[in-house]
Every structure is written in C-alpha cells, then in structure tokens.
Amino acid sequence: MLVQGNVAAPGDKSLTHRLLLLAGMAPGRSRLQGALTSLDARSTAKVLRLLGVPVTPLRPGKEVLISARGRFERPRQILHCGNSGTTTRLLLGLLAGHDFRATLTGDNSLRKRPMRRVTEPLARMGAQFDGKGGEAPDRLPLAIRGGGLHSLEWELPVSSAQIKGCLLFAGLAGGVPVSVREPSGRSRDHTERLLRSFGYRVEESAEGWLQFEPTGKLEPFDLEVPGDISSAAFLVGAALLATGGGLAITGVGLNPTRTGFLRVLERMGARITAIQTGERCGEPVGDLQVRPGPIYGTTVTAEEIPGLIDEIPLLAVLAARAMGRTHFHQVGELRVKESDRLGLLAENLRAVGALATVEGDTLVVQGKRTPPVGPVRTEGDHRIAMAFAVLGVVEGAQVRVDDLECAAVSFPGFDEVMRQVTGRRGR
C-alpha cells in the first residue's frame, strides 16, 4: 500500500492541557490557535468552566478564548476529568493552592489509575485529602482541600511529566518553592518551558534537582499550539511500513524531550528527516519527511523510556515488522496507563501473528515478515487502537481493530487522515 501526501498533525496534547490551565489562572483573556480538540482536551476545558473560567468550545480550526480572574472559584459540582490523567494530575496541583474543597472523578479507566504519586507530595505541602487514617488517596474519586502551602523537596517514584508538572503547578498556585528529582531519564519539559516564559525561575542543578522559585507572574497570552509529535508518530509508522510513496508531516513540535522515538527509529534504519522551521510556545517546530524502507531490531534502554513512553505501542508494532529482535527495557509504567498497556500490547501482537513476550518489565518483540492477520482488542486505549491500525498498511494485512473511535481521545479524525494518506475508501 502506498502512503503519500502532505498532512498536519492535530494540536499538541500536552501543550493544550497546560496552556488551558495556565490561561485559567492568568487574569484577563487569553487566545489559543490550533488547540487540540480531542476528548481529553475537552475534559480540561469542561472542568475549567466548573471552576468559574469561561472557555469557548474547542472546535477544529477555531480559536479558543479563555477569560480568567486569576484564581479558580469553588466548584458546585464534581469535576469529571473523563479519561484524562493529564487533566487530573495537573489540576490537582493547581487546586492544592486554593482554599476550598473540590472533588474529582473520571471514567472507569481513569478511576483505576494511581494517584498517590501526586496526592502524597501534595499532602506534604499542606493540601488535605479525604482518606482513611489520613493517608493520601490512590484512586479517584477523591476530594482535595487546598490553601496555604509550604515548600517541597521531592524525589519522584518514576520519571513522569504529569507528576513533575503537578508539583510545579502547586508551587505556582501556592507561591512556594518546589524542588523535584526524577529517578532516570528526562520526561517532557513543557511545564518548565512555559513557566520560564512567564518569568518563573526553573533551573536544574548538577545533582539532577529541578528547582522552581515563584518569581514570575502569569499574564494573558495569544499563542498557536504546534502539532503533536506523539500523534504524528502513527503517521510516521504508516509511511515506514508502506510499499512506496513518501509522507510530509508539517508544523510538528520538535521538543527534544519528545523526539526520543525518532532517534530510536533512526537507529533502526528508518528514513526520516526532521527540519526545524521556527518556534511556537517556546518550542522548536518543524516538518517531518518520511520514506518507506527496511528497519532492523534494536534495544531501547531504560534511560530512553521517559522520553518516548507514549510511542512504545507504535514502536512495538514497527518492531514486529523489523528484521531481528527488539527489547524495550523498564516499560512497567505501561501497566498503569489507560489500560494495562504492556499486557494488552503483547497480547494483541500475538493475536495478529507476531512474536512478543513480556519478561518482568521488559517487552521483547521478534520481527516477522508474514502479513499480520487477526483481531485487536483495545479496551478503549487510543494508542493501542492507532498503533494496530498502522499495521493495516502492510501488504496483505487483515488487522481488525475493535474500537478505532477511541482514537478521538488524542487524535480526532485519525481514521479520516489515514484514509487520506493511503487513498483507501471507507473502513
């Protein structure tokens, strides 16, 4: 199957969440162009409205207006975060600095995801939670009462942009210093870049501590969100597995803490060129040019994982088509994503005829040349759905994804874009 054309990825998911929340704390009117309009982004907009922040509807091609007073209002309803772990964790950081009680919940998947990794350090800062014996709760629904916070020094249990961002946002809302250190690798740094743009001091010490000082001031802004490199990854994968053609993906964010998967693919022999064309939101932006060709197995180290955690499903299905064996080390964090993503990934690879095993926290995938054929169970996980849809590009493939609609969590119109670049009609 040929994959060709010139396409744009949807707005960056990580930046859309953060910009909406920061706009909700900046007194005045902010404007966002190119914001992601996915279900997760709409969850953030919805909870902001319940906190007294007017946000215009998130619609493709339309600017988003956020009018804020500088602080949230006490919500009269439960804050439902849908499927969005990013909404939940970042919002908890901001709520920790507000002197009122708020209750957060989510869908069935989100209610299974661990929250103590953020509620425990927030409790150390002075936030109060409803929990047995005074323990910080580990699951939604949960109630938080914020207020006067004090400074925090905290070593993260795992390298995570959501945990790090939550604690930095708590420092912002509470006006207190925060120091955090990640155990291995460097997670995406969108929060740090945005805070620096408002004059806050965010510096990394030689010992690996990230130190935040409340030296800045939030002001209304007018920004354009770059394309999401994690969404673009699936289009990259489709182009690599094609029998011919070439694909250009324009206006994509090229933040070096988000492009780890490109470095892995280049190591595997992929023909990808990244060209920086400018900067948006303090982030490098550019175009990706991808051509099909053979790829080879590799080893993805534990240190690389924080910078490509969202792209592992895509890398794994590509590894199933590579020559040789690929090892993904220390990917246990995938067990607590929107699904048990690690177990589901290996199960589905085997279901379509690939060779995959999980050995502790290591995923091993052996490349195979026979076309993938079989059913795929997504459990509503958007990245599982899109990764296995990419396998459908392989000549002779018959991959049946049970729920491609869930891709709308992060990539609205994914199926339509795939039809556009492959030239196929219908599903």
Side-chain angles (χ1 to χ4, degrees):
M1 183 180 292
L2 293 178
V3 171
Q4 57 192 351
N6 189 311
V7 296
D12 188 277
K13 183 169 176 276
S14 295
L15 280 170
T16 296
H17 283 302
R18 286 160 174 79
L19 288 168
L20 286 171
L21 291 168
L22 289 174
M25 292 283 290
R29 173 173 283 193
S30 295
R31 298 172 183 267
L32 280 184
Q33 297 279 357
L36 181 64
T37 61
S38 72
L39 297 177
D40 273 9
R42 290 177 181 176
S43 290
T44 294
K46 181 180 178 180
V47 297
L48 281 173
R49 295 183 191 109
L50 293 175
L51 290 163
V53 181
V55 182
T56 59
L58 273 61
R59 293 172 179 158
K62 302 292 184 181
E63 71 175 6
V64 182
L65 302 178
I66 307 99
S67 302
R69 299 178 181 177
R71 303 290 290 177
F72 296 152
E73 297 177 2
R74 180 178 64 84
R76 298 181 179 180
Q77 301 178 39
I78 291 175
L79 303 175
H80 200 297
C81 300
N83 186 247
S84 180
T86 306
T87 302
T88 308
R89 294 186 177 117
L90 294 182
L91 183 61
L92 281 169
L94 294 177
L95 289 174
H98 286 75
D99 187 16
F100 55 68
R101 187 176 185 275
T103 300
L104 285 73
T105 191
D107 67 9
N108 184 57
S109 171
L110 186 58
R111 290 196 301 272
K112 295 177 182 176
R113 298 181 68 178
M115 292 296 157
R116 188 170 294 129
R117 50 184 58 177
V118 295
T119 59
E120 185 178 357
L122 291 177
R124 294 283 185 94
M125 295 180 75
Q128 299 176 38
F129 295 91
D130 291 352
K132 295 181 180 179
E135 282 189 4
D138 192 38
R139 294 288 188 271
L140 297 180
L142 63 81
I144 179 174
R145 176 178 285 278
L149 301 182
H150 44 260
S151 62
L152 176 73
E153 185 176 286
W154 191 258
E155 295 198 49
L156 276 59
V158 295
S159 294
S160 165
Q162 289 184 10
I163 304 174
K164 177 176 62 177
C166 167
L167 300 181
L168 292 175
F169 273 10
L172 166 73
V176 297
V178 170
S179 295
V180 297
R181 183 163 64 180
E182 298 183 275
S184 65
R186 186 183 181 195
S187 64
R188 57 190 65 177
D189 66 352
H190 300 302
T191 304
E192 299 96 298
R193 287 173 179 258
L194 288 171
L195 291 176
R196 289 187 191 110
S197 72
F198 290 104
Y200 293 94
R201 187 173 75 85
V202 188
E203 297 178 352
E204 188 168 357
S205 71
E207 295 78 26
W209 285 94
L210 187 69
Q211 299 169 327
F212 166 85
E213 293 286 345
T215 54
K217 182 181 179 182
L218 287 181
E219 301 282 0
F221 51 82
D222 187 342
L223 293 172
E224 183 177 0
V225 181
D228 194 309
I229 188 71
S230 295
S231 293
F234 298 102
L235 303 177
V236 168
L240 291 176
L241 295 183
T243 55
L247 189 66
I249 309 168
T250 59
V252 175
L254 296 177
N255 182 314
T257 64
R258 295 285 301 281
T259 54
F261 83 97
L262 290 178
R263 293 187 286 275
V264 170
L265 287 177
E266 288 168 2
R267 200 161 70 225
M268 295 174 77
R271 300 163 67 189
I272 304 171
T273 303
I275 304 169
Q276 184 174 338
T277 58
E279 188 174 286
R280 294 187 214 161
C281 303
E283 310 253 347
V285 176
D287 302 336
L288 298 176
Q289 297 176 349
V290 192
R291 299 190 68 80
I295 52 177
Y296 304 86
T298 189
T299 295
V300 183
T301 67
E303 291 72 26
E304 292 178 292
I305 297 302
L308 49 77
I309 189 72
D310 286 341
E311 290 77 46
I312 290 171
L314 182 277
L315 290 172
V317 299
L318 292 178
R321 305 302 302 166
M323 288 181 264
R325 182 174 296 179
T326 300
H327 291 78
F328 299 87
H329 290 287
Q330 293 299 312
V331 290
E333 184 66 10
L334 290 178
R335 293 192 175 97
V336 291
K337 291 293 184 179
E338 286 84 339
S339 63
D340 173 3
R341 193 173 278 171
L342 179 56
L344 197 57
L345 187 52
E347 175 190 316
N348 283 317
L349 284 168
R350 292 191 292 266
V352 298
L355 302 173
T357 59
V358 177
E359 302 169 2
D361 283 345
T362 297
L363 173 66
V364 182
V365 182
Q366 174 69 49
K368 197 174 178 182
R369 301 314 301 162
T370 54
V373 175
V376 171
R377 183 170 60 90
T378 64
E379 292 190 2
D381 189 317
H382 55 125
R383 299 197 192 278
I384 293 287
M386 290 187 284
F388 282 90
V390 166
L391 271 182
V393 170
V394 173
E395 194 73 25
Q398 296 179 41
V399 178
R400 302 184 301 278
V401 178
D402 69 356
D403 178 16
L404 198 52
E405 295 297 327
C406 66
V409 165
S410 62
F411 196 151
F414 170 74
D415 197 35
E416 180 182 344
V417 174
M418 285 290 285
R419 289 199 299 271
Q420 175 187 339
V421 300
T422 61
R424 60 186 172 88
R425 297 178 181 178
R427 290 195 176 183

